[in-house]
Amino acid sequence: MERTFIMVKPDGVQRGLVGEVITRFEKRGYKLIGLKFFTIPTVLAETHYGEHCDKPFFRGLVDFITSGPVAAMVWEGKNVVAAAREMLGATDPQKALPGTIRSAYGIDIGRNVAHGSDSEAGAQREIGLFFDETELKSYSRAIDSWIYE
Ligand code: IDP
Ligand code: MG
């Protein structure tokens, strides 16, 4: 089963959207295997967003993502990396499809509520940055046969 890294950003936490984001993944059938509520240290933020270090918005992005607590999560399920990106919607909430998290709850690109890994390799990298293996829980659920055929 695939795993992906999802994070409710400081804006989502402040606006009381942690539950909304979790509920969408839970109700679809994905399995929560890691959850951490904390304020990201600057070095971790710079590493996490390292691919954007040359962009004009990088400093503001790091300042924002470290400005308050986040809810960092690992979700597991079939094809969850791509599916989670679809559920989040486009980076810019103005361009996100109706019904997606960013369209439903966001307006500006720098306040787009939640993060999701963009590829399987990216997911593995980000999960490793935010979680120790011991913090990820494998468990079986009785409902799995009602979710997967
Ligand atoms: P993603 O979060 O959809 O993967 P990325 O391009 O990886 O989008 O950008 C990371 C984050 O940086 C975005 O979620 C958004 O909050 C912020 N960001 C991206 N582009 C801009 C921009 O042009 N201005 C301000 N913030 C941006
Ligand atoms: Mg990205």
Side-chain angles (χ1 to χ4, degrees):
M1 281 289 179
E2 222 171 80
R3 293 175 173 184
T4 197
F5 177 70
I6 300 294
M7 177 168 67
V8 182
K9 300 182 184 185
D11 52 332
V13 171
Q14 289 292 328
R15 294 176 54 208
L17 296 172
V18 174
E20 299 288 338
V21 174
I22 288 177
T23 295
R24 285 183 176 223
F25 285 91
E26 273 188 334
K27 284 192 170 170
R28 187 156 182 194
Y30 296 116
K31 187 195 287 184
L32 182 64
I33 62 166
L35 175 62
K36 191 178 282 189
F37 186 73
F38 76 126
T39 302
I40 304 179
T42 301
V43 172
L44 175 56
E46 289 169 345
T47 306
H48 171 67
Y49 281 126
E51 65 175 307
H52 299 303
C53 66
D54 295 328
K55 309 264 174 64
F57 61 82
F58 180 70
R59 210 68 252 167
L61 175 60
V62 169
D63 287 348
F64 171 68
I65 209 73
T66 59
S67 67
V70 301
M73 300 170 244
V74 179
W75 288 89
E76 189 178 85
K78 188 189 286 181
N79 195 33
V80 69
V81 175
R85 290 285 287 192
E86 285 182 0
M87 290 165 69
L88 285 169
T91 305
D92 181 352
Q94 305 279 337
K95 297 180 179 141
L97 292 176
T100 60
I101 290 167
R102 286 164 169 173
S103 169
Y105 304 122
I107 297 173
D108 271 352
I109 192 168
R111 300 289 185 273
N112 61 4
V113 181
H115 167 87
S117 307
D118 65 3
S119 62
E120 285 183 62
Q124 282 179 22
R125 187 184 82 89
E126 293 172 354
I127 291 168
L129 283 175
F130 282 82
F131 289 88
D132 291 330
E133 192 56 43
T134 56
E135 295 174 315
L136 302 176
K137 303 303 170 191
S138 278
Y139 59 98
S140 56
R141 298 182 303 183
I143 60 160
D144 276 341
S145 64
W146 300 101
I147 294 167
Y148 295 106
E149 60 184 5

